[in-house]
Amino acid sequence: MVTTVRPPSKWTRDTGIRFEIELREPLPDICSEHGLPAVDRRSETIAFHEGTRGREQLTPGSMFRALAYKILSFGFNALEIDTRFRGEWPVCHRCLQSSRRYKRLGRSIVFFGLFCIAGLVIAKILQVHQVVIAFLAVGLFPIWFPAGLLVASMLHRRANTFLRCRPIIAEDTVVVEAHPRFAAAMAGSTNGGIA
């Protein structure tokens, strides 16, 4: 894929971003994941972090691998984003449906925790039986926080992922995992072929 690589702006230098990548020209009107005609375009920034396989796209899977690696190696520092890839991604109706589904599920998890907090406060005020309070407390702390919020965060990340990229190995090339119809449209466009 033909891209423009530029050094980070002044604002991103302070945040540890090594470089930003932008598309020079728009992508074809075909969804890269399903190969269906695009019904919309989403302006999104794809974040990359230094992972176990190189500079990896920030996805729920890479977040989980990085989190597990950091916990097992006793390195509890934050996941550092060092590359951004900006562009408008074509999306089909199936992408939009799954995005809405993931967002709904993530919000449901957040509302479950808020319901448990409200229930716990009301139960304490009304001096409800200790079993009910214990049930709400277990639902709140080990289940919703931190596990539920982590899952909700991963669902939100998945809902906004419309383009999948392989780990970056060259600073001027991004390899996209795409449907064959999208790849054929890219090969026939003025953008050049997919790397």
Side-chain angles (χ1 to χ4, degrees), residues 52-106:
T52 56
R53 298 181 288 176
R55 194 172 293 128
E56 297 180 23
Q57 180 180 359
L58 187 61
T59 62
S62 72
M63 284 172 63
F64 183 73
R65 276 193 310 276
L67 180 66
Y69 176 76
K70 287 180 183 280
I71 289 173
L72 292 175
S73 65
F74 299 104
F76 294 103
N77 53 343
L79 194 61
E80 297 173 11
I81 307 299
D82 67 352
T83 304
R84 291 188 181 143
F85 181 24
R86 300 178 192 274
E88 277 196 354
W89 319 122
V91 293
C92 67
H93 68 282
R94 286 177 60 189
C95 290
L96 294 176
Q97 285 174 343
S98 66
S99 176
R100 282 192 293 270
R101 191 170 33 249
Y102 287 125
K103 285 179 182 178
R104 241 182 267 128
L105 188 55

Side-chain angles (χ1 to χ4, degrees), residues 30-36 177-188 194:
I30 295 176
C31 168
S32 65
E33 186 169 344
H34 302 107
L36 299 172
E177 295 178 6
H179 193 277
R181 285 189 284 246
F182 179 82
M186 279 298 293
I194 292 186

Side-chain angles (χ1 to χ4, degrees), residues 109 112-117 120 131-149:
I109 291 171
F112 168 77
L114 296 177
F115 170 76
C116 283
I117 290 171
L120 193 59
V131 173
V132 174
I133 293 174
F135 176 74
L136 289 171
V138 167
L140 184 63
F141 291 108
I143 295 173
W144 182 71
F145 180 82
L149 289 179

